[in-house]
Amino acid sequence: MAENIKLIVGLGNVGDKYAHTRHNIGYDLLEKIASKYKINLSPETKFFGLTGRGNIEGHDVRLLFPTTFMNESGKAVAALCNFYKINVDEILVLHDELDLNVGQLKLKFGGGLAGHNGLRSITSCMGGNQNFYRLRIGIGKPANKDVIGFVLNKPPKEEFNALEDTLILGGLSGVEHIFKQGISKATTFINGFKLD
């Protein structure tokens, strides 16, 4: 149930050179959520990240951006969850997804990690438990097979604009659906979203 989501995690790498790269799209959406719901994100060393707490459509929710690198994201998630007694199935992780095209989003619970280092780290630090929600944000696949170069680079302007529109029209609206209408209806909305 949506009311069970107590933590939203936006994945990315910390530092100016990674800002608005494809791999940081999860954090970009987290920032938009924080802005919309007026949740202040501030550094919290014991949680290895930026964190804030606020009200999303009547629900008490914490936001977290791990300021470790992507492949150590789980350290921040585990520290915060252990401290506030948040269960794995009460977490929503926002992350980039190579297997979806730009303009596509999918909401899923549990399942494989699709080679994503952030998801792998969270699973590992949560005792091997993969049963958390993921909002997968499509970034498409590189033409030249250079996945690392692709995800760590900023998209060209037209693609960047499409990603921004997807985050606002699909991602932000999807999160609102989750807390207003529940996971089931939100999944229908998010999984059916396509940027025109």
Side-chain angles (χ1 to χ4, degrees):
M1 286 293 292
E3 48 269 28
N4 289 347
I5 289 182
K6 294 179 179 169
L7 172 64
I8 302 177
V9 183
L11 293 185
N13 284 308
V14 71
D16 289 345
K17 76 174 183 172
Y18 296 109
H20 306 303
T21 57
R22 293 179 180 94
H23 218 20
N24 273 42
I25 196 90
Y27 176 52
D28 289 347
L29 178 53
L30 189 79
E31 279 194 315
K32 290 181 184 347
I33 294 167
S35 173
K36 177 176 178 176
Y37 293 102
K38 299 181 171 49
I39 299 172
N40 183 40
L41 293 171
S42 52
E44 185 67 77
T45 49
K46 72 181 173 202
F47 301 138
F48 310 99
L50 302 175
T51 183
R53 178 186 180 185
N55 187 300
I56 299 182
E57 307 299 341
H59 298 270
D60 183 25
V61 183
R62 294 182 189 277
L63 306 183
L64 172 67
F65 169 54
T67 48
T68 57
F69 279 100
M70 180 72 85
N71 59 1
E72 293 188 333
S73 303
K75 208 162 91 170
V77 175
L80 191 144
C81 287
N82 289 339
F83 189 83
Y84 291 116
K85 307 288 185 279
I86 294 172
N87 298 323
V88 179
D89 62 0
E90 296 171 328
I91 303 169
L92 170 64
V93 179
L94 319 172
H95 68 90
D96 56 306
E97 178 60 71
L98 287 158
D99 290 332
L100 296 175
N101 294 325
V102 171
Q104 284 186 296
L105 299 165
K106 296 289 178 210
L107 182 65
K108 67 179 278 196
F109 179 74
L113 306 176
H116 196 290
N117 288 334
L119 297 179
R120 185 181 293 123
S121 174
I122 292 169
T123 298
S124 169
C125 291
M126 299 305 280
N129 192 336
Q130 298 179 4
N131 291 326
F132 48 88
Y133 289 93
R134 304 98 184 266
L135 179 48
R136 303 158 66 211
I137 305 161
I139 58 169
K141 280 198 169 84
N144 63 1
K145 306 283 189 235
D146 175 20
V147 170
I148 292 171
F150 180 75
V151 299
L152 294 181
N153 273 299
K154 294 178 174 68
K157 191 168 192 304
E158 196 173 318
E159 187 184 323
F160 176 82
N161 290 341
L163 285 167
E164 281 286 291
D165 288 347
T166 302
L167 292 184
I168 294 163
L169 301 173
L172 259 186
S173 298
V175 168
E176 183 183 320
H177 274 65
I178 288 170
F179 290 100
K180 266 188 171 173
Q181 299 176 341
I183 288 285
S184 178
K185 286 185 176 171
T187 302
T188 302
F189 169 79
I190 291 167
N191 292 3
F193 178 83
K194 276 197 175 59
L195 192 64
D196 292 334

